[in-house]
Amino acid sequence: MMNILKLVVLLSMIVQQQTNISGESVSMTYVNNLGSGWNLGNTFDSHDIEADLGEQTWDNPKVSRELIQAIKAEGFQSIRIPLTLHYRMDSEYMIDSDYLDRYEDVVRWALEEDLYVLINLHHDSTEWLNQWDGQETSDEYKRFVAIWTQLADRFSEYNHHLFFESINEPSFEAEESEQYTRLAKINRAFHSVVRESGGLNTQRMLVLPTLLSKSRQADLDALLSEIQQLNDPYLIASIHYYGEWEFSNNIGVTMLDDPFRDGKTQRELNEELIGQLERTFTDQQIGVLIGEYGLLGFDRHPEVNNVGETYKFIEQMNGLTRDKPIALMLWDNGQHFNRVTFGWGPEKLGDIVVQSMFSSSAYGSYIDMTFIKDIQGELFVNLEFNETELQEVLFNGERMLEGQDYEKNEDGVYFFPQVIERLLGEVEAMGNVGTLTFRFNTGATWNQDVYLFDQMILGESQDTEVGQAVLIPVDYAGNQIKRVSIVSQTGEMVTTLDNWPYLVYLEDFIPDYQKGQLILAEHVTSLLNEGDYTVTIETHSNDTYQYVLTIQDSVIAGHSVVGLDDD
């Protein structure tokens, strides 16, 4: 009888450990406690076989305790610290002790700030683990096990604010079905090594990724099956999410509500993703970590992604997950939060990142630019209020008066004609003439840049050889280019991407507003053959222009044939 009673008590304790008082699993509770997270990217994961400067290899400064404190002060509750050990192990798979000591220092600083800290094995996935043949006798498997044996031992007694992720964006050189098999083996090896290492690792939360950290339903289903087979309540499912390639890199899809070829928008796809994660994992009491999220264009150039549309992306993603056991960790390799000044670049991006941790924010319905052609006309700025209340409107920092300068309704803000004429009547040049600032009772501030514009004029380009950059003279007259495409006389698209009709912003085409020219890059003109091509240029003021490139004897001549096409 006593043995039965002990068994009942033991089973009761296990159930209590796996669920909290509301019936939520420990995995989901843990994810809820993670709050909003931040990645210390391109630091301990950086590497170079010939000029390894440790955490400074990829141009970031050494991590300071003050940086960790600043991240905590911004409101983040968790931090992911990617670690790459390629080139930092000897032939016996022993990790460089000095490097690991330094890494442990930073982990400890973060824990002392009461942050949840995720240790993540990072670029080793692509540097060597992807070459694994699936055999446990192979070097890659032994190396992986050796790494986690050392890490698990090193961190076994740290509190449960520390958690581990097996590997970053895993993939293998094999057919897809075999890749799923190999990933399951790797995740099981990671799980076994950590659990068998003892100490607090017996109940440490572990994060398991999908194949390539993608979110296709097949990838999610494969990971669900892994987690269910492991039958361990201390597991979290993980993916990464940067939106669709075209939006994330600003390739003809600049805005969150621009449709892709199938008619869906990035906003709709964000909603679909969270629905998938709920149905697959959280409905099964498994918490989810989106261990990296953001937009990819920032890696190429800080101006690739429109800040206002990035604002909307971040606002929506946080709104979709804030009250769910799905945690977000912003990817930041130094391009967002300055690790010396501890400020955001740009500031308005940081504002939405921080505010979205706690509440919804309002924003402009269109892009964060307003174009005015007639200063004697009316101006209405459409706003999505998202349950906020407008408190204040400023123009170039000067407070505007409600009822005298503007009035608001449920759709936005109307500015009286005389106000526009007063503010802009003495402006002589076309272009950005100021910023409307909208402040609300909660959430982030929305900034709307105001442009005076007129018809854009494209001049004849100088003769240029195929394979050389074409410089098209442009009087922008206050216009901003949204996207560019090139089509041959026979209707064939000129593209650097697989059957995608638009050129890549700030890579295939570069608008230079200061010099008054539009640059078509060398690698684009190298795709041109003899004959005529039509370049279609669309602006954010909803106008369309066409320009003709004629190639004869490998020489490109360009001229405008169609003027303004008002929508």
Side-chain angles (χ1 to χ4, degrees):
M1 179 67 69
M2 183 60 68
N3 288 339
I4 294 175
L5 180 60
K6 286 182 178 179
L7 178 60
V8 170
V9 171
L10 179 60
L11 290 173
S12 176
M13 290 175 62
I14 292 172
V15 170
Q16 290 176 10
Q17 286 179 335
Q18 293 188 27
T19 61
N20 62 22
I21 194 167
S22 66
E24 188 177 75
S25 70
V26 291
S27 170
M28 295 168 74
T29 299
Y30 194 93
V31 168
N32 281 328
N33 290 337
L34 293 178
S36 293
W38 181 80
N39 275 271
L40 182 63
N42 284 23
T43 303
F44 288 102
D45 54 319
S46 62
H47 58 89
D48 187 318
I49 191 171
E50 295 180 350
D52 191 356
L53 300 176
E55 66 204 86
Q56 296 175 281
T57 302
W58 290 350
D59 299 325
N60 276 314
K62 290 191 70 172
V63 181
S64 65
R65 188 162 196 153
E66 290 73 22
L67 171 63
I68 303 301
Q69 291 170 337
I71 287 300
K72 174 69 174 182
E74 290 295 312
F76 290 104
Q77 294 173 251
S78 55
I79 182 172
R80 182 172 180 255
I81 309 181
L83 173 67
T84 295
L85 294 173
H86 193 41
Y87 309 126
R88 295 183 180 121
M89 302 177 68
D90 64 21
S91 59
E92 301 298 317
Y93 314 130
M94 294 301 297
I95 302 170
D96 180 271
S97 59
D98 290 339
Y99 198 77
L100 195 53
D101 287 345
R102 168 64 181 165
Y103 181 80
E104 184 178 7
D105 284 342
V106 176
V107 168
R108 187 172 60 253
W109 293 344
L111 289 170
E112 289 172 354
E113 293 301 321
D114 202 31
L115 290 165
Y116 283 81
V117 182
L118 178 57
I119 291 178
N120 154 254
L121 191 61
H122 208 73
H123 293 299
D124 299 274
S125 60
T126 54
E127 291 296 325
W128 54 270
L129 186 57
N130 62 339
Q131 300 164 36
W132 180 47
D133 61 6
Q135 302 301 311
E136 295 183 12
T137 54
S138 298
D139 173 79
E140 292 82 9
Y141 185 86
K142 293 178 181 178
R143 191 185 313 185
F144 180 82
V145 169
I147 287 173
W148 274 112
T149 298
Q150 293 170 78
L151 293 178
D153 180 67
R154 170 74 71 118
F155 294 100
S156 65
E157 297 304 325
Y158 281 87
N159 69 42
H160 283 119
H161 273 209
L162 182 68
F163 60 129
F164 301 156
E165 180 180 12
S166 62
I167 190 67
N168 182 73
E169 299 183 356
S171 66
F172 304 92
E173 296 176 358
E175 294 294 326
E176 186 171 81
S177 60
E178 175 61 19
Q179 290 196 63
Y180 287 132
T181 300
R182 293 182 191 180
L183 177 57
K185 286 184 180 179
I186 283 296
N187 281 338
R188 282 198 297 271
F190 162 72
H191 179 267
S192 296
V193 167
V194 175
R195 291 287 179 257
E196 292 169 7
S197 64
L200 295 181
N201 287 341
T202 58
Q203 293 183 344
R204 190 170 303 285
M205 199 62 68
L206 303 181
V207 177
L208 303 182
T210 59
L211 192 65
L212 275 169
S213 297
K214 288 189 174 182
S215 56
R216 298 177 307 171
Q217 191 59 52
D219 302 319
L220 304 182
D221 290 341
L223 180 57
L224 174 64
S225 177
E226 285 182 45
I227 292 175
Q228 290 175 331
Q229 289 177 42
L230 288 171
N231 193 29
D232 182 339
Y234 300 96
L235 299 178
I236 295 171
S238 178
I239 66 161
H240 292 170
Y241 188 63
Y242 291 95
E244 288 298 296
W245 179 261
E246 296 85 359
F247 173 74
S248 195
N249 285 277
N250 194 358
I251 309 172
V253 181
T254 299
M255 299 187 294
L256 196 71
D257 294 303
D258 276 344
F260 296 99
R261 269 181 285 200
D262 61 2
K264 292 183 178 179
T265 66
Q266 185 63 64
R267 185 188 301 277
E268 292 170 325
L269 294 176
N270 294 345
E271 293 170 349
E272 288 183 8
L273 169 74
I274 301 307
Q276 278 183 291
L277 297 178
E278 289 184 290
R279 289 188 298 274
T280 307
F281 296 115
T282 64
D283 285 354
Q284 323 306 322
Q285 295 289 297
I286 299 167
V288 179
L289 176 66
I290 301 180
E292 295 179 14
Y293 92 104
L295 296 180
L296 296 169
F298 282 101
D299 282 346
R300 192 166 78 247
H301 191 282
E303 296 181 4
V304 166
N305 299 110
N306 174 267
V307 175
E309 297 307 301
T310 305
Y311 176 120
K312 295 176 189 177
F313 178 81
I314 291 172
E315 199 282 334
Q316 188 199 13
M317 288 299 297
N318 280 269
L320 289 170
T321 58
R322 192 180 300 115
D323 299 323
K324 296 182 175 69
I326 301 173
L328 298 173
M329 286 186 162
L330 179 71
W331 177 255
D332 190 347
N333 58 24
Q335 80 273 49
H336 293 319
F337 190 75
N338 189 296
R339 300 181 186 182
V340 177
T341 65
F342 305 149
W344 292 93
E347 184 178 347
K348 56 187 175 182
L349 177 61
D351 188 21
I352 191 61
V353 169
V354 172
Q355 295 297 329
S356 289
M357 299 181 194
F358 313 107
S359 64
S360 297
S361 294
Y363 49 79
S365 303
Y366 188 60
I367 203 164
D368 61 351
M369 292 179 274
T370 291
F371 294 87
I372 298 174
K373 196 169 188 179
D374 182 1
I375 64 173
Q376 296 180 337
E378 298 180 341
L379 172 61
F380 189 88
V381 177
N382 290 89
L383 295 172
E384 299 293 335
F385 287 99
N386 291 333
E387 300 183 351
T388 68
E389 294 182 7
L390 182 65
Q391 299 287 294
E392 188 178 39
V393 180
L394 302 93
F395 182 72
N396 288 343
E398 179 182 344
R399 191 170 187 270
M400 305 184 76
L401 301 177
E402 184 175 2
Q404 181 175 321
D405 297 327
Y406 70 90
E407 62 182 16
K408 61 186 179 184
N409 60 34
E410 62 183 10
D411 296 318
V413 176
Y414 171 78
F415 296 90
F416 300 121
Q418 65 269 24
V419 175
I420 304 303
E421 187 173 4
R422 172 171 59 82
L423 294 175
L424 305 182
E426 296 182 3
V427 174
E428 297 180 356
M430 296 290 159
N432 190 334
V433 294
T435 301
L436 285 167
T437 299
F438 300 90
R439 292 177 178 162
F440 305 86
N441 65 324
T442 186
T445 296
W446 177 258
N447 293 288
Q448 189 83 6
D449 290 330
V450 179
Y451 289 79
L452 274 181
F453 83 106
D454 205 338
Q455 182 169 336
M456 193 166 70
I457 300 173
L458 292 83
E460 293 186 3
S461 64
Q462 293 185 353
D463 289 354
T464 308
E465 291 186 5
V466 169
Q468 299 297 315
V470 170
L471 308 181
I472 301 173
V474 183
D475 178 357
Y476 283 100
N479 288 275
Q480 294 279 308
I481 293 181
K482 179 179 182 179
R483 57 192 178 193
V484 174
S485 60
I486 304 178
V487 178
S488 72
Q489 279 181 307
T490 57
E492 296 174 344
M493 296 177 296
V494 176
T495 177
T496 57
L497 301 172
D498 182 24
N499 201 34
W500 181 248
Y502 299 107
L503 300 185
V504 181
Y505 180 50
L506 295 187
E507 185 171 296
D508 292 348
F509 76 97
I510 304 98
D512 189 328
Y513 298 106
Q514 282 69 43
K515 292 184 179 179
Q517 59 186 18
L518 173 62
I519 304 168
L520 300 179
E522 297 175 358
H523 62 270
V524 173
T525 71
S526 66
L527 301 174
L528 305 180
N529 299 309
E530 299 290 299
D532 289 342
Y533 292 82
T534 299
V535 182
T536 300
I537 303 167
E538 300 175 54
T539 70
H540 283 296
S541 52
N542 289 323
D543 294 328
T544 300
Y545 298 80
Q546 291 188 325
Y547 192 83
V548 170
L549 299 176
T550 299
I551 295 84
Q552 185 174 0
D553 297 330
S554 297
V555 175
I556 307 171
H559 62 279
S560 180
V561 293
V562 180
L564 188 66
D565 178 16
D566 293 314
D567 288 342

